[in-house]
Amino acid sequence: MSCEEIAVCAERLRENLCLYFEDDELECDAFCKDKTIKRFFRNVNSQLLVVRPDLNVAAFEDVTDQEVKSGSGMYFDIHCYKTTAPSAGMPVAFSVQVEDKSYYMCCEKEHGKMVVRFREGEVPKDIPGESNIIFFKKTFTSCSSKAFKFEYSLEQGMFLAFEEEDSLRKLILKKLPREDEVDETTKFVTSHNERHNL
C-alpha cells in the first residue's frame, strides 16, 4: 500500500468479531525480515535437532563432539520477521547449512497430512502474504522463558514437535486441542553453542 490515504468503510462485523471491508486495495498480512540469529535446538531429552536432506529427515539425535564442531545440519538460522498485522507471537522462519548448501524449513501436505520438509534454497527477505515457512515463536510456559514452542502460521493450534518413529525422534507438526496445553514434545530450547542454553 502506498503512503497516500485510502478511505475504507467497514462492510460488516461477522460472528468471529473480524471486520470485513469492501475495498480491494487493502493489503493482506506481509512479513519483512528484521534480523537473523544462529542457534542450536534441543528437545527435552537434551538431543540436538539435525537435518539430513539426503534422507529427507530432521530428527533429534545424540551427537558426538566431532559432529557438533562441524555444525553441519545442526546450527540453524532463525530469521525474525516484522509483520504488518498483529500476530500470535514473533514470526520466524528457519534455515540450516548442510555442507555447502542452504535449506529452509517449510510445511507441505502429503497424503492428507501436514509434514515438515527442508527444501534447498534461501529464506526470502520479504513475504507479501501468507507463507508455509512462517511460524510464531511463543514461550513454552509463562514460567519457562528459555523454552519455546513454534506454531505454524497457516494453521492455528499446529505446532512443531517431535515424535518417536523407527528409533528416531522426528520433527513433525502436531495439532494441540488447546494452545495452553503443556505438551513436552513441543518444547524447544535454543542455545548459542552445543553446551549452553540462552
Side-chain angles (χ1 to χ4, degrees), residues 151-186:
E151 185 175 24
Y152 183 45
S153 66
L154 298 182
E155 191 167 339
Q156 189 172 5
M158 186 74 79
F159 291 86
L160 286 177
F162 67 91
E163 173 181 77
E164 298 255 359
E165 182 183 306
D166 301 327
S167 74
L168 287 176
R169 287 188 171 96
K170 292 177 73 172
L171 185 65
I172 63 162
L173 281 172
K174 183 176 189 177
K175 184 77 170 172
L176 296 182
R178 295 185 343 262
E179 183 184 331
D180 62 347
E181 180 177 333
V182 177
D183 182 333
E184 293 287 319
T185 66
T186 65

PDB file of all heavy atoms in Angstrom, residues 151-186:
ATOM      1  N   GLU A 151       4.325 -22.237  16.600  1.00  0.00           N
ATOM      2  CA  GLU A 151       3.026 -22.521  15.987  1.00  0.00           C
ATOM      3  C   GLU A 151       3.074 -22.200  14.494  1.00  0.00           C
ATOM      4  O   GLU A 151       3.521 -21.127  14.082  1.00  0.00           O
ATOM      5  CB  GLU A 151       1.937 -21.696  16.661  1.00  0.00           C
ATOM      6  CG  GLU A 151       0.555 -22.009  16.165  1.00  0.00           C
ATOM      7  CD  GLU A 151      -0.539 -21.273  16.926  1.00  0.00           C
ATOM      8  OE1 GLU A 151      -0.254 -20.205  17.511  1.00  0.00           O
ATOM      9  OE2 GLU A 151      -1.680 -21.754  16.924  1.00  0.00           O
ATOM     10  N   TYR A 152       2.605 -23.131  13.692  1.00  0.00           N
ATOM     11  CA  TYR A 152       2.555 -22.950  12.244  1.00  0.00           C
ATOM     12  C   TYR A 152       1.590 -21.812  11.918  1.00  0.00           C
ATOM     13  O   TYR A 152       0.447 -21.805  12.377  1.00  0.00           O
ATOM     14  CB  TYR A 152       2.130 -24.265  11.593  1.00  0.00           C
ATOM     15  CG  TYR A 152       2.100 -24.255  10.095  1.00  0.00           C
ATOM     16  CD1 TYR A 152       3.131 -23.697   9.349  1.00  0.00           C
ATOM     17  CD2 TYR A 152       1.042 -24.832   9.405  1.00  0.00           C
ATOM     18  CE1 TYR A 152       3.104 -23.705   7.968  1.00  0.00           C
ATOM     19  CE2 TYR A 152       1.008 -24.855   8.019  1.00  0.00           C
ATOM     20  CZ  TYR A 152       2.042 -24.286   7.308  1.00  0.00           C
ATOM     21  OH  TYR A 152       2.003 -24.295   5.936  1.00  0.00           O
ATOM     22  N   SER A 153       2.045 -20.860  11.110  1.00  0.00           N
ATOM     23  CA  SER A 153       1.252 -19.654  10.852  1.00  0.00           C
ATOM     24  C   SER A 153      -0.022 -19.905  10.053  1.00  0.00           C
ATOM     25  O   SER A 153      -0.967 -19.132  10.143  1.00  0.00           O
ATOM     26  CB  SER A 153       2.100 -18.601  10.129  1.00  0.00           C
ATOM     27  OG  SER A 153       2.447 -19.050   8.832  1.00  0.00           O
ATOM     28  N   LEU A 154      -0.075 -20.979   9.286  1.00  0.00           N
ATOM     29  CA  LEU A 154      -1.248 -21.220   8.444  1.00  0.00           C
ATOM     30  C   LEU A 154      -2.300 -22.112   9.090  1.00  0.00           C
ATOM     31  O   LEU A 154      -3.361 -22.332   8.507  1.00  0.00           O
ATOM     32  CB  LEU A 154      -0.825 -21.821   7.094  1.00  0.00           C
ATOM     33  CG  LEU A 154       0.074 -20.937   6.230  1.00  0.00           C
ATOM     34  CD1 LEU A 154       0.377 -21.624   4.904  1.00  0.00           C
ATOM     35  CD2 LEU A 154      -0.541 -19.566   6.000  1.00  0.00           C
ATOM     36  N   GLU A 155      -2.000 -22.639  10.279  1.00  0.00           N
ATOM     37  CA  GLU A 155      -2.986 -23.472  10.962  1.00  0.00           C
ATOM     38  C   GLU A 155      -2.866 -23.315  12.472  1.00  0.00           C
ATOM     39  O   GLU A 155      -1.945 -23.839  13.093  1.00  0.00           O
ATOM     40  CB  GLU A 155      -2.845 -24.945  10.566  1.00  0.00           C
ATOM     41  CG  GLU A 155      -4.021 -25.751  11.046  1.00  0.00           C
ATOM     42  CD  GLU A 155      -4.086 -27.134  10.429  1.00  0.00           C
ATOM     43  OE1 GLU A 155      -3.491 -27.371   9.375  1.00  0.00           O
ATOM     44  OE2 GLU A 155      -4.753 -27.991  11.032  1.00  0.00           O
ATOM     45  N   GLN A 156      -3.806 -22.585  13.027  1.00  0.00           N
ATOM     46  CA  GLN A 156      -3.794 -22.338  14.466  1.00  0.00           C
ATOM     47  C   GLN A 156      -3.873 -23.658  15.234  1.00  0.00           C
ATOM     48  O   GLN A 156      -4.615 -24.564  14.872  1.00  0.00           O
ATOM     49  CB  GLN A 156      -4.985 -21.447  14.849  1.00  0.00           C
ATOM     50  CG  GLN A 156      -4.934 -20.965  16.271  1.00  0.00           C
ATOM     51  CD  GLN A 156      -6.014 -19.944  16.566  1.00  0.00           C
ATOM     52  OE1 GLN A 156      -6.871 -19.654  15.730  1.00  0.00           O
ATOM     53  NE2 GLN A 156      -5.974 -19.400  17.751  1.00  0.00           N
ATOM     54  N   GLY A 157      -3.049 -23.761  16.283  1.00  0.00           N
ATOM     55  CA  GLY A 157      -3.043 -24.961  17.110  1.00  0.00           C
ATOM     56  C   GLY A 157      -2.122 -26.067  16.609  1.00  0.00           C
ATOM     57  O   GLY A 157      -2.000 -27.109  17.227  1.00  0.00           O
ATOM     58  N   MET A 158      -1.421 -25.829  15.495  1.00  0.00           N
ATOM     59  CA  MET A 158      -0.492 -26.808  14.922  1.00  0.00           C
ATOM     60  C   MET A 158       0.937 -26.354  15.261  1.00  0.00           C
ATOM     61  O   MET A 158       1.348 -25.262  14.891  1.00  0.00           O
ATOM     62  CB  MET A 158      -0.675 -26.881  13.405  1.00  0.00           C
ATOM     63  CG  MET A 158       0.128 -27.955  12.732  1.00  0.00           C
ATOM     64  SD  MET A 158      -0.507 -29.613  12.995  1.00  0.00           S
ATOM     65  CE  MET A 158      -1.845 -29.671  11.819  1.00  0.00           C
ATOM     66  N   PHE A 159       1.677 -27.207  15.982  1.00  0.00           N
ATOM     67  CA  PHE A 159       2.994 -26.826  16.491  1.00  0.00           C
ATOM     68  C   PHE A 159       4.082 -27.778  16.017  1.00  0.00           C
ATOM     69  O   PHE A 159       3.829 -28.962  15.795  1.00  0.00           O
ATOM     70  CB  PHE A 159       2.986 -26.837  18.027  1.00  0.00           C
ATOM     71  CG  PHE A 159       2.156 -25.742  18.630  1.00  0.00           C
ATOM     72  CD1 PHE A 159       0.791 -25.913  18.822  1.00  0.00           C
ATOM     73  CD2 PHE A 159       2.731 -24.538  18.996  1.00  0.00           C
ATOM     74  CE1 PHE A 159       0.020 -24.904  19.378  1.00  0.00           C
ATOM     75  CE2 PHE A 159       1.969 -23.522  19.553  1.00  0.00           C
ATOM     76  CZ  PHE A 159       0.609 -23.705  19.749  1.00  0.00           C
ATOM     77  N   LEU A 160       5.314 -27.240  15.909  1.00  0.00           N
ATOM     78  CA  LEU A 160       6.461 -28.110  15.707  1.00  0.00           C
ATOM     79  C   LEU A 160       6.584 -28.989  16.935  1.00  0.00           C
ATOM     80  O   LEU A 160       6.382 -28.529  18.062  1.00  0.00           O
ATOM     81  CB  LEU A 160       7.746 -27.300  15.533  1.00  0.00           C
ATOM     82  CG  LEU A 160       7.933 -26.572  14.212  1.00  0.00           C
ATOM     83  CD1 LEU A 160       9.219 -25.747  14.235  1.00  0.00           C
ATOM     84  CD2 LEU A 160       7.952 -27.547  13.046  1.00  0.00           C
ATOM     85  N   ALA A 161       6.932 -30.252  16.732  1.00  0.00           N
ATOM     86  CA  ALA A 161       7.047 -31.204  17.840  1.00  0.00           C
ATOM     87  C   ALA A 161       7.966 -32.332  17.394  1.00  0.00           C
ATOM     88  O   ALA A 161       8.462 -32.328  16.267  1.00  0.00           O
ATOM     89  CB  ALA A 161       5.669 -31.766  18.209  1.00  0.00           C
ATOM     90  N   PHE A 162       8.209 -33.273  18.290  1.00  0.00           N
ATOM     91  CA  PHE A 162       8.938 -34.462  17.878  1.00  0.00           C
ATOM     92  C   PHE A 162       8.124 -35.689  18.221  1.00  0.00           C
ATOM     93  O   PHE A 162       7.294 -35.683  19.117  1.00  0.00           O
ATOM     94  CB  PHE A 162      10.348 -34.520  18.484  1.00  0.00           C
ATOM     95  CG  PHE A 162      10.391 -34.693  19.975  1.00  0.00           C
ATOM     96  CD1 PHE A 162      10.440 -35.958  20.543  1.00  0.00           C
ATOM     97  CD2 PHE A 162      10.403 -33.598  20.811  1.00  0.00           C
ATOM     98  CE1 PHE A 162      10.487 -36.121  21.910  1.00  0.00           C
ATOM     99  CE2 PHE A 162      10.452 -33.750  22.190  1.00  0.00           C
ATOM    100  CZ  PHE A 162      10.497 -35.012  22.745  1.00  0.00           C
ATOM    101  N   GLU A 163       8.356 -36.753  17.447  1.00  0.00           N
ATOM    102  CA  GLU A 163       7.612 -37.995  17.608  1.00  0.00           C
ATOM    103  C   GLU A 163       8.567 -39.160  17.352  1.00  0.00           C
ATOM    104  O   GLU A 163       9.372 -39.118  16.426  1.00  0.00           O
ATOM    105  CB  GLU A 163       6.482 -38.002  16.573  1.00  0.00           C
ATOM    106  CG  GLU A 163       5.699 -39.278  16.487  1.00  0.00           C
ATOM    107  CD  GLU A 163       4.622 -39.172  15.415  1.00  0.00           C
ATOM    108  OE1 GLU A 163       4.940 -39.266  14.211  1.00  0.00           O
ATOM    109  OE2 GLU A 163       3.463 -38.986  15.794  1.00  0.00           O
ATOM    110  N   GLU A 164       8.467 -40.173  18.192  1.00  0.00           N
ATOM    111  CA  GLU A 164       9.294 -41.377  18.023  1.00  0.00           C
ATOM    112  C   GLU A 164       8.788 -42.168  16.816  1.00  0.00           C
ATOM    113  O   GLU A 164       7.605 -42.447  16.710  1.00  0.00           O
ATOM    114  CB  GLU A 164       9.205 -42.260  19.267  1.00  0.00           C
ATOM    115  CG  GLU A 164       9.714 -41.600  20.508  1.00  0.00           C
ATOM    116  CD  GLU A 164      11.074 -42.102  20.950  1.00  0.00           C
ATOM    117  OE1 GLU A 164      11.638 -42.993  20.286  1.00  0.00           O
ATOM    118  OE2 GLU A 164      11.570 -41.580  21.947  1.00  0.00           O
ATOM    119  N   GLU A 165       9.723 -42.464  15.912  1.00  0.00           N
ATOM    120  CA  GLU A 165       9.380 -43.272  14.733  1.00  0.00           C
ATOM    121  C   GLU A 165      10.642 -43.988  14.261  1.00  0.00           C
ATOM    122  O   GLU A 165      11.643 -43.332  13.954  1.00  0.00           O
ATOM    123  CB  GLU A 165       8.828 -42.377  13.619  1.00  0.00           C
ATOM    124  CG  GLU A 165       8.407 -43.137  12.389  1.00  0.00           C
ATOM    125  CD  GLU A 165       7.925 -42.208  11.286  1.00  0.00           C
ATOM    126  OE1 GLU A 165       7.033 -41.396  11.538  1.00  0.00           O
ATOM    127  OE2 GLU A 165       8.470 -42.321  10.175  1.00  0.00           O
ATOM    128  N   ASP A 166      10.612 -45.295  14.214  1.00  0.00           N
ATOM    129  CA  ASP A 166      11.763 -46.091  13.770  1.00  0.00           C
ATOM    130  C   ASP A 166      13.042 -45.708  14.512  1.00  0.00           C
ATOM    131  O   ASP A 166      14.068 -45.425  13.902  1.00  0.00           O
ATOM    132  CB  ASP A 166      11.979 -45.940  12.258  1.00  0.00           C
ATOM    133  CG  ASP A 166      10.773 -46.372  11.455  1.00  0.00           C
ATOM    134  OD1 ASP A 166      10.075 -47.307  11.891  1.00  0.00           O
ATOM    135  OD2 ASP A 166      10.516 -45.760  10.404  1.00  0.00           O
ATOM    136  N   SER A 167      12.968 -45.643  15.817  1.00  0.00           N
ATOM    137  CA  SER A 167      14.087 -45.302  16.709  1.00  0.00           C
ATOM    138  C   SER A 167      14.624 -43.879  16.527  1.00  0.00           C
ATOM    139  O   SER A 167      15.691 -43.548  17.012  1.00  0.00           O
ATOM    140  CB  SER A 167      15.232 -46.321  16.589  1.00  0.00           C
ATOM    141  OG  SER A 167      15.929 -46.142  15.384  1.00  0.00           O
ATOM    142  N   LEU A 168      13.883 -43.040  15.806  1.00  0.00           N
ATOM    143  CA  LEU A 168      14.238 -41.624  15.651  1.00  0.00           C
ATOM    144  C   LEU A 168      13.200 -40.756  16.345  1.00  0.00           C
ATOM    145  O   LEU A 168      12.032 -41.131  16.437  1.00  0.00           O
ATOM    146  CB  LEU A 168      14.275 -41.238  14.169  1.00  0.00           C
ATOM    147  CG  LEU A 168      15.423 -41.739  13.321  1.00  0.00           C
ATOM    148  CD1 LEU A 168      15.196 -41.323  11.870  1.00  0.00           C
ATOM    149  CD2 LEU A 168      16.750 -41.204  13.812  1.00  0.00           C
ATOM    150  N   ARG A 169      13.625 -39.596  16.795  1.00  0.00           N
ATOM    151  CA  ARG A 169      12.691 -38.587  17.308  1.00  0.00           C
ATOM    152  C   ARG A 169      12.558 -37.533  16.206  1.00  0.00           C
ATOM    153  O   ARG A 169      13.266 -36.543  16.192  1.00  0.00           O
ATOM    154  CB  ARG A 169      13.207 -37.989  18.611  1.00  0.00           C
ATOM    155  CG  ARG A 169      13.102 -38.932  19.761  1.00  0.00           C
ATOM    156  CD  ARG A 169      13.452 -38.239  21.077  1.00  0.00           C
ATOM    157  NE  ARG A 169      13.147 -39.117  22.184  1.00  0.00           N
ATOM    158  CZ  ARG A 169      14.038 -39.909  22.781  1.00  0.00           C
ATOM    159  NH1 ARG A 169      15.283 -39.928  22.361  1.00  0.00           N
ATOM    160  NH2 ARG A 169      13.682 -40.673  23.794  1.00  0.00           N
ATOM    161  N   LYS A 170      11.624 -37.789  15.277  1.00  0.00           N
ATOM    162  CA  LYS A 170      11.478 -36.967  14.085  1.00  0.00           C
ATOM    163  C   LYS A 170      10.743 -35.659  14.370  1.00  0.00           C
ATOM    164  O   LYS A 170       9.832 -35.614  15.190  1.00  0.00           O
ATOM    165  CB  LYS A 170      10.723 -37.740  13.003  1.00  0.00           C
ATOM    166  CG  LYS A 170      11.516 -38.910  12.450  1.00  0.00           C
ATOM    167  CD  LYS A 170      10.730 -39.702  11.451  1.00  0.00           C
ATOM    168  CE  LYS A 170      10.598 -38.939  10.168  1.00  0.00           C
ATOM    169  NZ  LYS A 170       9.993 -39.734   9.088  1.00  0.00           N
ATOM    170  N   LEU A 171      11.149 -34.620  13.633  1.00  0.00           N
ATOM    171  CA  LEU A 171      10.478 -33.327  13.698  1.00  0.00           C
ATOM    172  C   LEU A 171       9.172 -33.433  12.920  1.00  0.00           C
ATOM    173  O   LEU A 171       9.166 -33.866  11.761  1.00  0.00           O
ATOM    174  CB  LEU A 171      11.375 -32.244  13.093  1.00  0.00           C
ATOM    175  CG  LEU A 171      10.876 -30.815  13.187  1.00  0.00           C
ATOM    176  CD1 LEU A 171      10.807 -30.362  14.654  1.00  0.00           C
ATOM    177  CD2 LEU A 171      11.784 -29.885  12.398  1.00  0.00           C
ATOM    178  N   ILE A 172       8.080 -33.049  13.560  1.00  0.00           N
ATOM    179  CA  ILE A 172       6.754 -33.161  12.946  1.00  0.00           C
ATOM    180  C   ILE A 172       5.937 -31.910  13.253  1.00  0.00           C
ATOM    181  O   ILE A 172       6.369 -31.041  14.004  1.00  0.00           O
ATOM    182  CB  ILE A 172       5.980 -34.392  13.490  1.00  0.00           C
ATOM    183  CG1 ILE A 172       5.735 -34.246  15.009  1.00  0.00           C
ATOM    184  CG2 ILE A 172       6.708 -35.685  13.164  1.00  0.00           C
ATOM    185  CD1 ILE A 172       4.646 -35.140  15.551  1.00  0.00           C
ATOM    186  N   LEU A 173       4.737 -31.853  12.692  1.00  0.00           N
ATOM    187  CA  LEU A 173       3.716 -30.885  13.094  1.00  0.00           C
ATOM    188  C   LEU A 173       2.679 -31.641  13.906  1.00  0.00           C
ATOM    189  O   LEU A 173       2.267 -32.739  13.519  1.00  0.00           O
ATOM    190  CB  LEU A 173       3.043 -30.256  11.874  1.00  0.00           C
ATOM    191  CG  LEU A 173       3.823 -29.160  11.182  1.00  0.00           C
ATOM    192  CD1 LEU A 173       3.127 -28.770   9.886  1.00  0.00           C
ATOM    193  CD2 LEU A 173       4.000 -27.960  12.067  1.00  0.00           C
ATOM    194  N   LYS A 174       2.284 -31.059  15.029  1.00  0.00           N
ATOM    195  CA  LYS A 174       1.344 -31.729  15.924  1.00  0.00           C
ATOM    196  C   LYS A 174       0.218 -30.775  16.293  1.00  0.00           C
ATOM    197  O   LYS A 174       0.461 -29.646  16.705  1.00  0.00           O
ATOM    198  CB  LYS A 174       2.081 -32.176  17.189  1.00  0.00           C
ATOM    199  CG  LYS A 174       1.228 -32.946  18.156  1.00  0.00           C
ATOM    200  CD  LYS A 174       2.084 -33.416  19.322  1.00  0.00           C
ATOM    201  CE  LYS A 174       1.333 -34.373  20.220  1.00  0.00           C
ATOM    202  NZ  LYS A 174       2.215 -34.872  21.302  1.00  0.00           N
ATOM    203  N   LYS A 175      -1.005 -31.240  16.142  1.00  0.00           N
ATOM    204  CA  LYS A 175      -2.183 -30.444  16.493  1.00  0.00           C
ATOM    205  C   LYS A 175      -2.453 -30.599  17.985  1.00  0.00           C
ATOM    206  O   LYS A 175      -2.571 -31.712  18.489  1.00  0.00           O
ATOM    207  CB  LYS A 175      -3.393 -30.934  15.682  1.00  0.00           C
ATOM    208  CG  LYS A 175      -4.639 -30.125  15.890  1.00  0.00           C
ATOM    209  CD  LYS A 175      -4.574 -28.829  15.140  1.00  0.00           C
ATOM    210  CE  LYS A 175      -5.922 -28.130  15.139  1.00  0.00           C
ATOM    211  NZ  LYS A 175      -5.842 -26.791  14.579  1.00  0.00           N
ATOM    212  N   LEU A 176      -2.520 -29.463  18.688  1.00  0.00           N
ATOM    213  CA  LEU A 176      -2.875 -29.470  20.101  1.00  0.00           C
ATOM    214  C   LEU A 176      -4.317 -29.005  20.244  1.00  0.00           C
ATOM    215  O   LEU A 176      -4.709 -28.024  19.612  1.00  0.00           O
ATOM    216  CB  LEU A 176      -1.959 -28.547  20.910  1.00  0.00           C
ATOM    217  CG  LEU A 176      -0.478 -28.925  20.965  1.00  0.00           C
ATOM    218  CD1 LEU A 176       0.286 -27.935  21.837  1.00  0.00           C
ATOM    219  CD2 LEU A 176      -0.279 -30.331  21.470  1.00  0.00           C
ATOM    220  N   PRO A 177      -5.106 -29.687  21.066  1.00  0.00           N
ATOM    221  CA  PRO A 177      -6.508 -29.293  21.219  1.00  0.00           C
ATOM    222  C   PRO A 177      -6.664 -27.890  21.815  1.00  0.00           C
ATOM    223  O   PRO A 177      -7.576 -27.169  21.471  1.00  0.00           O
ATOM    224  CB  PRO A 177      -7.100 -30.349  22.153  1.00  0.00           C
ATOM    225  CG  PRO A 177      -5.992 -31.236  22.565  1.00  0.00           C
ATOM    226  CD  PRO A 177      -4.761 -30.862  21.834  1.00  0.00           C
ATOM    227  N   ARG A 178      -5.723 -27.515  22.696  1.00  0.00           N
ATOM    228  CA  ARG A 178      -5.757 -26.174  23.309  1.00  0.00           C
ATOM    229  C   ARG A 178      -4.347 -25.596  23.271  1.00  0.00           C
ATOM    230  O   ARG A 178      -3.371 -26.289  23.533  1.00  0.00           O
ATOM    231  CB  ARG A 178      -6.205 -26.255  24.773  1.00  0.00           C
ATOM    232  CG  ARG A 178      -7.617 -26.724  24.979  1.00  0.00           C
ATOM    233  CD  ARG A 178      -8.035 -26.665  26.463  1.00  0.00           C
ATOM    234  NE  ARG A 178      -6.960 -26.563  27.420  1.00  0.00           N
ATOM    235  CZ  ARG A 178      -6.442 -27.595  28.106  1.00  0.00           C
ATOM    236  NH1 ARG A 178      -6.904 -28.817  27.911  1.00  0.00           N
ATOM    237  NH2 ARG A 178      -5.473 -27.408  28.981  1.00  0.00           N
ATOM    238  N   GLU A 179      -4.241 -24.304  22.970  1.00  0.00           N
ATOM    239  CA  GLU A 179      -2.933 -23.665  22.884  1.00  0.00           C
ATOM    240  C   GLU A 179      -2.196 -23.686  24.213  1.00  0.00           C
ATOM    241  O   GLU A 179      -0.981 -23.808  24.261  1.00  0.00           O
ATOM    242  CB  GLU A 179      -3.080 -22.223  22.400  1.00  0.00           C
ATOM    243  CG  GLU A 179      -1.733 -21.555  22.230  1.00  0.00           C
ATOM    244  CD  GLU A 179      -1.833 -20.097  21.856  1.00  0.00           C
ATOM    245  OE1 GLU A 179      -2.816 -19.705  21.224  1.00  0.00           O
ATOM    246  OE2 GLU A 179      -0.919 -19.365  22.221  1.00  0.00           O
ATOM    247  N   ASP A 180      -2.923 -23.592  25.325  1.00  0.00           N
ATOM    248  CA  ASP A 180      -2.278 -23.552  26.640  1.00  0.00           C
ATOM    249  C   ASP A 180      -1.932 -24.947  27.169  1.00  0.00           C
ATOM    250  O   ASP A 180      -1.413 -25.091  28.269  1.00  0.00           O
ATOM    251  CB  ASP A 180      -3.141 -22.791  27.644  1.00  0.00           C
ATOM    252  CG  ASP A 180      -4.496 -23.443  27.880  1.00  0.00           C
ATOM    253  OD1 ASP A 180      -4.881 -24.340  27.094  1.00  0.00           O
ATOM    254  OD2 ASP A 180      -5.178 -23.045  28.841  1.00  0.00           O
ATOM    255  N   GLU A 181      -2.180 -25.983  26.365  1.00  0.00           N
ATOM    256  CA  GLU A 181      -1.841 -27.338  26.773  1.00  0.00           C
ATOM    257  C   GLU A 181      -0.310 -27.478  26.861  1.00  0.00           C
ATOM    258  O   GLU A 181       0.419 -27.041  25.974  1.00  0.00           O
ATOM    259  CB  GLU A 181      -2.390 -28.342  25.763  1.00  0.00           C
ATOM    260  CG  GLU A 181      -2.083 -29.783  26.117  1.00  0.00           C
ATOM    261  CD  GLU A 181      -2.708 -30.759  25.130  1.00  0.00           C
ATOM    262  OE1 GLU A 181      -3.734 -30.429  24.517  1.00  0.00           O
ATOM    263  OE2 GLU A 181      -2.161 -31.850  24.987  1.00  0.00           O
ATOM    264  N   VAL A 182       0.168 -28.062  27.953  1.00  0.00           N
ATOM    265  CA  VAL A 182       1.604 -28.284  28.119  1.00  0.00           C
ATOM    266  C   VAL A 182       1.933 -29.672  27.571  1.00  0.00           C
ATOM    267  O   VAL A 182       1.576 -30.681  28.150  1.00  0.00           O
ATOM    268  CB  VAL A 182       2.028 -28.153  29.606  1.00  0.00           C
ATOM    269  CG1 VAL A 182       3.507 -28.458  29.760  1.00  0.00           C
ATOM    270  CG2 VAL A 182       1.700 -26.763  30.128  1.00  0.00           C
ATOM    271  N   ASP A 183       2.598 -29.686  26.439  1.00  0.00           N
ATOM    272  CA  ASP A 183       2.980 -30.919  25.770  1.00  0.00           C
ATOM    273  C   ASP A 183       4.493 -30.859  25.572  1.00  0.00           C
ATOM    274  O   ASP A 183       4.994 -30.070  24.759  1.00  0.00           O
ATOM    275  CB  ASP A 183       2.253 -31.028  24.433  1.00  0.00           C
ATOM    276  CG  ASP A 183       2.558 -32.310  23.686  1.00  0.00           C
ATOM    277  OD1 ASP A 183       3.647 -32.875  23.878  1.00  0.00           O
ATOM    278  OD2 ASP A 183       1.714 -32.729  22.886  1.00  0.00           O
ATOM    279  N   GLU A 184       5.227 -31.680  26.299  1.00  0.00           N
ATOM    280  CA  GLU A 184       6.691 -31.642  26.279  1.00  0.00           C
ATOM    281  C   GLU A 184       7.269 -31.926  24.895  1.00  0.00           C
ATOM    282  O   GLU A 184       8.401 -31.536  24.618  1.00  0.00           O
ATOM    283  CB  GLU A 184       7.264 -32.639  27.292  1.00  0.00           C
ATOM    284  CG  GLU A 184       6.981 -32.275  28.737  1.00  0.00           C
ATOM    285  CD  GLU A 184       7.797 -31.085  29.246  1.00  0.00           C
ATOM    286  OE1 GLU A 184       8.995 -30.996  28.929  1.00  0.00           O
ATOM    287  OE2 GLU A 184       7.221 -30.248  29.959  1.00  0.00           O
ATOM    288  N   THR A 185       6.509 -32.572  24.017  1.00  0.00           N
ATOM    289  CA  THR A 185       7.045 -32.844  22.675  1.00  0.00           C
ATOM    290  C   THR A 185       7.107 -31.580  21.825  1.00  0.00           C
ATOM    291  O   THR A 185       7.745 -31.580  20.775  1.00  0.00           O
ATOM    292  CB  THR A 185       6.218 -33.911  21.929  1.00  0.00           C
ATOM    293  OG1 THR A 185       4.912 -33.405  21.666  1.00  0.00           O
ATOM    294  CG2 THR A 185       6.149 -35.212  22.713  1.00  0.00           C
ATOM    295  N   THR A 186       6.461 -30.487  22.258  1.00  0.00           N
ATOM    296  CA  THR A 186       6.506 -29.220  21.519  1.00  0.00           C
ATOM    297  C   THR A 186       7.504 -28.236  22.135  1.00  0.00           C
ATOM    298  O   THR A 186       7.592 -27.097  21.694  1.00  0.00           O
ATOM    299  CB  THR A 186       5.112 -28.556  21.471  1.00  0.00           C
ATOM    300  OG1 THR A 186       4.713 -28.184  22.792  1.00  0.00           O
ATOM    301  CG2 THR A 186       4.088 -29.462  20.835  1.00  0.00           C
TER     302      THR A 186
END
